[in-house]
């Protein structure tokens, strides 16, 4: 199938610009063999390239480009499918934008078109060209240093009691994972993640339950979470717990039960954040809204979890105005390489900033993901890069430290 990929990248300082023509000639040979055509723009600092051809020709060439040490911060802007090529001449044209004015380039690009119809700037791909040529994308384009320009140094502050038995009768246990502000070197909250007594994942715990028993168990498990928090000497640390929205609707008096257990374990509502995911359609929205009011009235904060996944969409922001939004891992993964994810996350950040809602990125595994998100304005992070969940304890945190020379 005819595939189009557009990416933008940054040239490495040590690549002499003079050698570009040569690079393109070599690349053209390979591209020609794979049936890949397109256009390459260069503005002195950045490359912008459109590749088109059969999918099995375009993908390996693009992957090769991503690995090519002569440029970095390669961001895929568009991947699309089309009935015919825009630029069908064999090989790749190189335009050095410093040699033309932008109108001239834009017209020349259109003239290179080989499609049956005259190319126009209504086309998405060509809109990307125009934005690049007119340098309108700059405020959204962050240059991040290489991932290894930071060290991640453990603070050694793990809390792991030998055997933390809260209640022999309890059918669940918890792992704790810090939510941190890496640059402020601050643990902002600890999230309690449910486990089976032997440490298996939430799915393993919930799969043995069915019907309304799931909601009962979800609520009752919070007693164990609060008791563990007390045993781990949480003090005034904020504590995040997860609840299914329907737990608040289906279990009578759920909010009172929560408040009782918070108090019984020497905690206060103001240090508790309830995270809920809209994984099931909230079929009883009015009752859920009432429960949320009670939570807020008691001083408990609210976070929308898995934001950007499935049902946890933008309309929830209008309905609940949570204190925090946690961006789903699927959007975080490789955000530094993906134009679409960058655009969505920038939209979330902007909406949340207007509403004074704090934004947390979940599932951060790579230094590049973290650096891109910091550049975009996120300051709360949770992920293996800093600390993985610790079963029955609190893990040490690996804090970023800039290496000298960067
Ligand atoms: P969540 O609330 O988004 O919790 C974060 C999940 O991401 C955790 O999975 C955690 O282990 C995982 N995670 C954290 N950092 C990374 C990372 O860098 N990479 C990757 N690949 N994963 C990372 P876990 O513990 O399996 O929990 C899965 C989900 O189960 C939670 O997602 C939450 O929605 C749900 N859950 C956990 N505890 C409870 C609970 O008490 N009640 C309910 N109803 N749901 C719970
Ligand atoms: Mn959560
Ligand atoms: Mn999750």
């Amino acid at each position: 199938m005819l595939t189009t990929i557009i990416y933008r990248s940054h040239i490495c300082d040590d690549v002499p610009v003079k050698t570009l023509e040569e690079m393109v000639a070599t690349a053209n040979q390979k591209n020609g063999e794979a049936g890949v055509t397109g256009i390459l723009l260069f503005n002195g600092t950045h490359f912008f390239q459109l590749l088109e051809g059969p999918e099995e020709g375009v993908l390996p060439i693009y992957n090769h480009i991503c690995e090519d040490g002569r440029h970095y911060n390669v961001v895929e802007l568009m991947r699309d499918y089309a009935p015919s090529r825009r630029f069908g001449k064999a090989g790749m044209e190189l335009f050095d934008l410093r040699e033309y004015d932008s109108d001239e380039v834009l017209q020349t690009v259109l003239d290179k078109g080989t499609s049956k119809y005259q190319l126009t700037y209504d086309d998405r791909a060509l809109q990307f060209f125009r934005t690049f040529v007119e340098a309108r994308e700059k405020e959204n384009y962050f240059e991040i240093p290489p991932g290894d320009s930071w060290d991640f140094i453990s603070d050694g502050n793990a809390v792991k009691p030998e055997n933390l038995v809260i209640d022999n009768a309890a059918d669940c246990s918890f792992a704790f994972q810090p939510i941190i502000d890496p640059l402020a070197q601050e643990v902002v909250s600890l999230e309690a993640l449910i486990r089976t007594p032997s440490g298996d994942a939430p799915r393993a715990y919930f799969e043995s339950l069915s019907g309304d028993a799931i909601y009962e168990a979800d609520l009752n498990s919070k007693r164990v979470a609060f008791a563990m928090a007390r045993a781990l000497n949480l003090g005034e640390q904020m504590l995040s717990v997860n609840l299914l929205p329907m737990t608040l609707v289906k279990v009578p008096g759920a909010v009172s039960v929560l408040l009782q257990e918070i108090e019984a374990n020497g905690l206060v509502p103001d240090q508790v954040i309830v995270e809920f995911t809209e994984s099931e359609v909230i079929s009883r929205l009015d009752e859920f809204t009432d429960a949320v009011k009670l939570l807020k009235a008691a001083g408990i904060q609210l976070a929308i979890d898995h934001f950007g996944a499935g049902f946890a969409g933008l309309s929830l922001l209008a309905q609940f105005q949570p204190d925090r939004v946690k961006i789903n891992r699927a959007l975080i993964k490789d955000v530094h390489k993906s134009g679409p994810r960058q655009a969505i996350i920038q939209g979330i950040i902007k909406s949340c900033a207007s509403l004074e809602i704090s934004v947390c990125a979940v599932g951060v595994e790579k230094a590049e993901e973290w650096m891109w998100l910091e550049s975009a304005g996120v300051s709360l992070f949770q992920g293996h890069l800093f600390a993985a969940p610790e079963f029955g304890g609190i893990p040490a945190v690996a804090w970023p430290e800039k290496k000298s020379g960067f």
Side-chain angles (χ1 to χ4, degrees), residues 5-8 31 36 49 51 55 57-68 71 73-79 337-339:
I5 289 183
I6 296 180
Y7 73 86
R8 178 190 53 204
N31 296 350
V36 173
Q49 187 167 25
L51 298 161
E55 195 161 30
V58 170
L59 292 187
I61 285 175
Y62 180 61
N63 292 337
H64 189 77
I65 287 168
C66 291
E67 302 301 314
D68 187 333
H71 48 174
N73 284 349
V74 180
V75 177
E76 182 180 317
L77 299 174
M78 188 186 103
R79 185 178 292 217
K337 297 185 200 169
S338 160

Side-chain angles (χ1 to χ4, degrees), residues 103-322:
D103 289 342
E104 209 181 334
V105 177
L106 290 171
Q107 190 52 51
T108 314
V109 166
L110 291 187
D111 295 344
K112 294 281 170 198
T114 57
S115 92
K116 190 152 54 141
Y117 309 104
Q118 170 66 38
L119 292 182
T120 69
Y121 281 99
D122 293 338
D123 178 48
R124 261 187 87 213
L126 287 156
Q127 294 279 13
F128 275 111
F129 266 92
R130 180 147 72 189
T131 302
F132 181 79
V133 169
E134 294 174 353
R136 282 191 279 116
E137 90 290 18
K138 283 208 168 115
E139 71 266 32
N140 296 329
Y141 184 31
F142 310 131
E143 303 290 0
I144 54 169
D148 63 5
S149 57
W150 294 84
D151 280 321
F152 291 83
I153 298 170
S154 171
D155 60 14
N157 290 339
V159 182
K160 178 82 182 178
E162 273 291 285
N163 41 23
L164 189 73
V165 179
I166 297 305
D167 174 355
N168 282 318
D171 66 349
C172 68
S173 186
F174 281 83
F176 291 84
Q177 186 181 30
I179 296 166
I180 66 165
D181 181 336
L183 296 182
Q185 301 237 340
E186 190 190 336
V187 174
V188 173
S189 180
L190 281 176
E191 178 169 7
L193 297 160
I194 203 164
R195 296 290 181 265
T196 65
S198 55
D200 292 329
R203 189 143 39 100
Y205 175 75
F206 285 112
E207 95 196 335
S208 65
L209 300 162
S210 64
D212 287 357
I214 292 172
Y215 308 117
E216 297 274 354
D218 189 24
L219 183 66
N220 290 332
S221 71
K222 299 298 124 40
R223 185 178 56 83
V224 178
F226 297 138
M228 286 176 79
R230 189 226 284 266
L232 292 167
N233 292 318
L234 221 63
E236 293 179 353
Q237 178 71 67
M238 297 295 291
L239 176 68
S240 303
V241 296
N242 297 279
L243 277 180
L244 295 166
M246 288 310 265
T247 297
L248 293 177
V249 170
K250 292 222 169 165
V251 185
V255 175
S256 322
V257 174
L258 270 184
L259 291 171
Q260 253 166 40
E261 292 302 336
I262 289 169
E263 201 193 330
N265 288 288
L267 303 168
V268 294
D270 299 78
Q271 77 185 112
V272 176
I273 303 172
V274 169
E275 303 188 350
F276 71 87
T277 309
E278 196 8 14
S279 54
E280 45 187 355
V281 188
I282 304 175
S283 52
R284 291 154 71 175
L285 197 58
D286 291 348
E287 288 159 279
F288 180 69
T289 308
D290 287 344
V292 165
K293 285 184 193 162
L294 291 176
L295 285 177
K296 301 289 281 185
I300 291 179
Q301 292 183 40
L302 214 68
I304 299 181
D305 215 347
H306 298 138
F307 197 75
F311 295 104
L314 286 168
S315 72
L316 277 182
L317 276 193
Q319 258 152 356
F320 301 111
Q321 301 180 25

